[in-house]
Amino acid sequence: MVDNRYATALVIGSVLSLLATVYLSIAVGTQHWYQYRSPPGNHEASNASELREDFINGEFDEKTYSDTLFRLNGTLGLWWRCVQVPDPKMVTQCVSFTLPQQFVPKYKEPGNHNTGEDLLRTYLWRCQFLLPLVSLALVFLSGLIGVCACLCRSITPTLGVGVLHLLAGLCSLGTVCCFLAGMDLLHRVSVLPDSVDGSLGWSLYLALISSPLQMMAAALFLWAARSHRQNYTRMTAYRVA
């Protein structure tokens, strides 16, 4: 039998976990992690159509798509890169990063393969792609454990659920940190043009919010499991006495 306090903690923890999962899933699937604001004249330039064509159908090259993002109000996500182009009205066109492209090495000078691989940027890029998937997988695994605990009518597995949520929260936080560090390093080696401003997007904030939600859920699960175990031990000792 589970005390009402522990049951309440489990319900609140489950709701927080669900919210965190929804937020992180939306963040991973959208492209508004980072956005650029360029002067209006850039969209009317004679080579704007050429930039768009290379961006959509050209070969994958970090310098090419980065320069296009800078000039055409681009937005960047974990899986998507988008630009705004007049067609004839302003429309947004997006291209996804394929799985092989997620593992393409970064170079010390973007687009210049002769400068050698930039290992730090390469692994930051790969981590920002892998960590949210690991986080979602850990939450899914914890959900399976929680269902098994309900079927077995035992609160003991909740300790494992709490640990998995704590790891998931750290992975979500690591995703945001890797992305921010990678963007900072990119802007150091690829300077933004004049009058172009960059800012964080709402997708990144969703991922950032999901991390403390997962950690709060982990704290509730761990508290419920530990307190229930201590209470059960005291009751057992009292009965024996």
Side-chain angles (χ1 to χ4, degrees):
M1 190 70 179
V2 180
D3 189 279
N4 287 338
R5 294 174 301 167
Y6 309 143
T8 302
L10 295 178
V11 170
I12 296 175
S14 299
V15 172
L16 292 176
S17 175
L18 179 61
L19 286 175
T21 303
V22 171
Y23 288 167
L24 184 59
S25 299
I26 294 174
V28 171
T30 51
Q31 71 274 11
H32 296 281
W33 284 65
Y34 202 89
Q35 52 196 17
Y36 298 98
R37 290 290 176 266
S38 53
N42 283 1
H43 298 88
E44 302 172 0
S46 58
N47 62 341
S49 59
E50 297 178 5
L51 290 173
R52 177 185 62 178
E53 186 64 25
D54 289 340
F55 182 80
I56 297 174
N57 300 316
E59 294 184 2
F60 180 78
D61 180 80
E62 185 183 25
K63 180 173 176 55
T64 300
Y65 77 73
S66 295
D67 289 345
T68 306
L69 291 174
F70 297 160
R71 298 188 58 183
L72 299 180
N73 280 347
T75 56
L76 183 66
L78 301 185
W79 282 95
W80 296 91
R81 57 190 190 275
C82 304
V83 292
Q84 291 184 350
V85 291
D87 193 27
K89 295 182 179 180
M90 200 66 66
V91 296
T92 300
Q93 294 188 339
C94 299
V95 180
S96 64
F97 292 105
T98 64
L99 187 60
Q101 289 172 354
Q102 296 283 13
F103 294 94
V104 170
K106 307 295 182 182
Y107 297 96
K108 295 179 180 178
E109 291 183 10
N112 188 351
H113 296 191
N114 297 323
T115 57
E117 182 179 354
D118 189 333
L119 292 177
L120 180 56
R121 287 205 306 122
T122 296
Y123 285 102
L124 284 173
W125 179 275
R126 294 174 182 176
C127 286
Q128 77 181 29
F129 154 68
L130 292 173
L131 286 177
L133 301 182
V134 173
S135 178
L136 292 173
L138 289 173
V139 173
F140 179 74
L141 178 60
S142 67
L144 291 179
I145 295 175
V147 171
C148 293
C150 291
L151 294 176
C152 298
R153 297 183 179 180
S154 173
I155 199 174
T156 303
T158 308
L159 183 63
V161 173
V163 172
L164 290 176
H165 273 83
L166 179 60
L167 294 175
L170 293 176
C171 288
S172 299
L173 182 60
T175 300
V176 175
C177 293
C178 288
F179 182 86
L180 292 176
M183 293 303 298
D184 181 65
L185 292 175
L186 172 63
H187 293 156
R188 291 184 184 183
V189 297
S190 184
V191 181
L192 291 177
D194 294 337
S195 302
V196 175
D197 297 321
S199 61
L200 304 180
W202 59 265
S203 298
L204 182 140
Y205 289 113
L206 278 184
L208 188 60
I209 291 172
S210 71
S211 177
L213 289 178
Q214 288 170 330
M215 292 184 180
M216 285 189 289
L220 288 171
F221 289 137
L222 293 172
W223 174 83
R226 187 170 182 274
S227 299
H228 181 269
R229 185 174 182 179
Q230 290 177 344
N231 188 43
Y232 179 79
T233 302
R234 292 193 193 99
M235 290 180 62
T236 302
Y238 176 77
R239 289 174 181 173
V240 172

